[in-house]
Amino acid sequence: MMILSSHPSAWVLAAGLQELILLAGSDAYAAREASYWAENASLSPYCIVQPRTTNEVALVVKALSETDGPIGLRSGGVTQWAGSNDVKNGVTIDLGKLRDVTYNAQSKLASLQPGARWDEVYGELQNQGVCVTGGRIGNVGVGGFLTGCGNSFHSAQNGFGCDNVVNFEVVLGNATIVNANSTSHPDLWTALKGGSGNFGIVTRFDMFTFPATEIWGGNRISVRSEGEKLAQALVDFTNNNNKNPEDAFVIDHIFDPSSSPDVIVLQVIVDTHGVINASAFDDVRKIPAVVDDVQKRTLQDLADNERVPSRQQQVWFSLSFKNDIRVINKGAELHDQLVEELKALIPSSNFATECLFQPLPTIFTEHSIEKGGNVMGLDKVKENALIWLIAGASGTPEESAIMREKLSALTASFEQYAASEGLGNDLEWLNYADQTQNPLKSYGKENVDFIRKVAEKYDPAGVFQKKVVTGWKISKVSQ
Ligand SMILES: Cc1cc2nc3c(=O)[nH]c(=O)nc-3n(C[C@H](O)[C@H](O)[C@H](O)COP(=O)(O)OP(=O)(O)OC[C@H]3O[C@@H](n4cnc5c(N)ncnc54)[C@H](O)[C@@H]3O)c2cc1C
Ligand SMILES: *[C@@H]1O[C@H](CO)[C@@H](O)[C@H](O)[C@H]1NC(C)=O
Ligand SMILES: *[C@@H]1O[C@H](CO)[C@@H](O)[C@H](O)[C@H]1NC(C)=O
Ligand SMILES: *[C@@H]1O[C@H](CO)[C@@H](O)[C@H](O)[C@H]1NC(C)=O
Ligand SMILES: *[C@@H]1O[C@H](CO)[C@@H](O)[C@H](O)[C@H]1NC(C)=O
């Protein structure tokens, strides 16, 4: 009896929540573990708890905070690193049943629950004639994206996803439910905009909306030798994004032998106002493409089209840089070398890599500031910048260990190059970073101190530092 009652799931059972539990061995449990985007992220907990309402989240937090075992938390389950959204030898709180998306025509706000995915969000809101500043890829979860800031196709018009959250409904560590907005717990409201899972469980995001329009957008693919011209086009685009805030652009050097034996350069171009042949892309579209599916479509259709295949071992690292062509060319060169090195170590049919550059112009942060500010520390960055992601997918844990070593080394030498040329930028994009990186620290001392203070104020017992162990923890950031 003692042994049973120390088992975390026993507490949830004792709290009358047995209906919410998926036990290891059941089909429902297996389906949820298989729903993690990265194979490496699912860690087979003792059991999964799926609350269906905010009150049930509060009951679960109360029951579990009285147990000894570690607790995990997931929304979409998309984050790629092991330990971000699932837990070994513990209980994972799975918000997958909290996925309502509603629109209030009076307040003009949309309310999203954390377990929804962006394609569902866009589909539902489209029916009501509105849209929100959300994810670019359909299967990404709402909860992790928005608490980790969220870079959107609409960021040059509206700021980051988190900047557009007017109110967070949050279950705190003592199971109290609070609203955090500009007038109620404003410190918590600000800290949740980029501060991730350090304060509580967000059960509802109330967001600004704008009228839904068709967009013009999609993918172009060019051969590797067009890389330098595309790099110049991205630098110019980023410098002009304030004049064309309705437009979004990213370039991605990809090695994926299932679609091409050579490195290719993917370009995602979007005019969110739906202007065909939008002039911001004139230079890009002069560069020859072997594939071009750019067309008039809904945002939901684009988000679905951009889905990235899952269920592989994933390793990601992220840095940011000044918006300079030397950075993009260097990154592309390092990626070419990486592919050659990996081919000698892993059968090439078993891995894929990408080296992604995306604009981080100051216009994004101007909107953040107008809307109340966040904790990313970008208000101190006075120059246009680029967010960089290097990603490697492979088939087995052994291959993934090789991948981690190579990507880690590449990231270190890229950072060193940038520092030596004066092209570095502090921010590590939290939603892309590897577990060995320190994205919260990259927000700067003032923001780290603020996040720490807010976490201690709203969670004095440290439930979201010591018990809920998944994700980025401010208590692990050195002073
Ligand atoms: C294919 C792909 C495309 C992507 N595209 C983009 C993009 O365009 N822009 C961008 O910014 N990012 C993008 N990302 C990164 C993505 O935003 C993060 O992985 C994000 O964390 C996923 O959200 P999730 O709900 O699935 O998080 P999960 O993996 O479920 O959770 C991760 C962490 O988030 C925190 N968290 C989650 N839900 C809550 C909650 N309700 N309350 C409090 N804390 C919570 C917790 O700390 C948790 O540990 C992409 C990722 C992938 C794999
Ligand atoms: C802010 O929170 C208070 C207190 O719960 C609530 O009354 C108010 O409606 C909230 N504001 C918004 C914009 O949600
Ligand atoms: C857009 O550009 C394409 C290719 O340059 C051209 O064929 C098409 O007619 C243009 N469409 C419009 C509406 O301008
Ligand atoms: C992948 O996850 C497993 C546990 O599920 C872990 O043992 C392994 O080290 C992880 N590999 C990497 C590269 O993170
Ligand atoms: C729960 O925690 C919050 C933040 O510390 C505090 O304001 C509130 O009084 C606590 N509620 C209870 C019932 O202890």
Side-chain angles (χ1 to χ4, degrees):
M1 205 51 207
M2 276 309 289
I3 290 166
L4 181 69
S5 63
S6 69
H7 189 294
S9 59
W11 288 85
V12 180
L13 290 169
L17 300 171
Q18 54 268 43
E19 265 189 282
L20 314 184
I21 293 187
L22 308 180
L23 287 174
S26 69
D27 289 348
Y29 171 101
R32 287 313 284 168
E33 285 301 294
S35 74
Y36 283 93
W37 182 71
E39 193 162 39
N40 210 66
S42 66
L43 297 179
S44 305
Y46 280 142
C47 69
I48 296 169
V49 190
Q50 290 190 309
R52 296 159 300 190
T53 62
T54 300
N55 281 330
E56 285 181 352
V57 173
L59 292 172
V60 165
V61 167
K62 188 163 170 31
L64 287 177
S65 60
E66 287 160 14
T67 68
D68 288 335
I71 303 168
L73 173 65
R74 74 170 282 190
S75 286
V78 163
T79 310
Q80 75 288 351
W81 54 278
S84 62
N85 46 22
D86 203 3
V87 70
K88 261 198 189 80
N89 305 321
V91 180
T92 291
I93 303 174
D94 172 1
L95 304 178
K97 290 224 158 125
L98 284 169
R99 61 202 303 162
D100 282 354
V101 176
T102 56
Y103 174 61
N104 181 329
Q106 242 110 58
S107 65
K108 293 197 157 54
L109 298 178
S111 294
L112 320 184
Q113 287 190 314
R117 313 269 181 157
W118 290 105
D119 56 354
E120 300 164 8
V121 172
Y122 294 139
E124 187 51 43
L125 293 181
Q126 205 165 280
N127 294 337
Q128 322 247 11
V130 295
C131 189
V132 289
T133 303
R136 295 175 291 198
I137 299 191
N139 59 323
V140 170
V142 165
F145 178 92
L146 287 176
T147 52
C149 195
N151 194 4
S152 171
F153 288 133
H154 290 94
S155 286
Q157 284 169 97
N158 302 328
F160 297 106
C162 66
D163 297 318
N164 292 278
V165 180
V166 180
N167 179 63
F168 298 90
E169 179 189 75
V170 192
V171 174
L172 300 178
N174 64 5
T176 306
I177 301 164
V178 298
N179 280 310
N181 57 56
S182 64
T183 54
S184 160
H185 308 300
D187 48 358
L188 181 57
W189 177 60
T190 304
L192 276 164
K193 295 191 273 180
S196 197
N198 278 294
F199 320 99
I201 299 181
V202 180
T203 45
R204 202 184 69 232
F205 300 86
D206 298 328
M207 293 187 79
F208 286 125
T209 61
F210 49 87
T213 51
E214 275 207 310
I215 60 152
W216 179 72
N219 294 336
R220 301 177 88 243
I221 293 175
S222 301
V223 296
R224 171 65 184 88
S225 55
E226 304 293 354
E228 290 209 17
K229 276 188 246 158
L230 287 162
Q232 189 61 54
L234 185 73
V235 168
D236 295 343
F237 177 91
T238 303
N239 285 333
N240 289 306
N241 207 182
N242 57 338
K243 292 174 214 135
N244 306 293
E246 66 278 17
D247 295 312
F249 182 33
V250 308
I251 61 174
D252 196 5
H253 284 241
I254 297 178
F255 175 72
D256 181 356
S258 71
S259 53
S260 163
D262 303 310
V263 172
I264 54 94
V265 192
L266 172 74
Q267 306 129 59
V268 183
I269 73 177
V270 180
D271 181 90
T272 59
H273 287 174
V275 176
I276 295 173
N277 298 345
S279 61
F281 299 109
D282 285 351
D283 290 348
V284 179
R285 292 173 67 241
K286 282 187 194 129
I287 300 167
V290 291
V291 171
D292 185 338
D293 79 349
V294 180
Q295 57 190 276
K296 257 314 244 260
R297 60 198 341 170
T298 63
L299 184 58
Q300 183 191 26
D301 181 57
L302 180 69
D304 269 333
N305 196 50
E306 297 295 323
R307 276 169 180 268
V308 183
S310 60
R311 295 315 287 172
Q312 284 176 299
Q313 305 276 325
Q314 299 282 349
V315 181
W316 291 15
F317 283 83
S318 183
L319 295 171
S320 64
F321 300 100
K322 293 194 170 137
N323 179 36
D324 190 295
I325 188 164
R326 286 172 289 168
V327 167
I328 305 175
N329 288 337
K330 180 71 179 182
E333 181 193 312
L334 289 170
H335 179 251
D336 290 341
Q337 288 165 10
L338 169 79
V339 170
E340 291 313 312
E341 285 174 31
L342 287 172
K343 278 180 182 167
L345 297 166
I346 304 176
S348 66
S349 57
N350 276 10
F351 78 90
T353 56
E354 59 183 293
C355 170
L356 172 75
F357 285 98
Q358 48 188 293
L360 182 60
T362 54
I363 180 85
F364 288 16
T365 301
E366 287 166 28
H367 294 303
S368 306
I369 294 166
E370 281 157 25
K371 289 181 169 153
N374 59 41
V375 291
M376 311 282 292
L378 290 172
D379 47 328
K380 287 179 206 69
V381 180
K382 305 293 178 212
E383 285 174 84
N384 295 325
L386 298 167
I387 297 173
W388 172 74
L389 166 67
I390 186 99
S394 56
T396 67
E398 294 71 29
E399 289 165 354
S400 188
I402 297 172
M403 188 66 84
R404 166 176 305 288
E405 199 187 304
K406 290 290 168 194
L407 297 196
S408 174
L410 183 155
T411 302
S413 61
F414 200 5
E415 193 166 23
Q416 207 169 26
Y417 163 82
S420 68
E421 300 288 324
L423 297 170
N425 191 58
D426 291 336
L427 185 74
E428 290 170 2
W429 190 249
L430 180 136
N431 275 343
Y432 290 166
D434 182 66
Q435 70 239 49
T436 58
Q437 297 191 277
N438 203 341
L440 288 170
K441 187 161 193 177
S442 81
Y443 294 179
K445 183 174 187 317
E446 210 179 298
N447 290 295
V448 168
D449 289 347
F450 177 71
I451 293 169
R452 206 187 303 280
K453 201 179 80 192
V454 174
E456 279 164 8
K457 174 173 168 191
Y458 288 95
D459 181 21
V463 172
F464 289 94
Q465 301 303 321
K466 291 177 274 188
K467 296 231 34 112
V468 179
V469 294
T470 43
W472 300 106
K473 296 298 163 189
I474 198 67
S475 51
K476 289 193 182 159
V477 177
S478 59
Q479 293 287 340

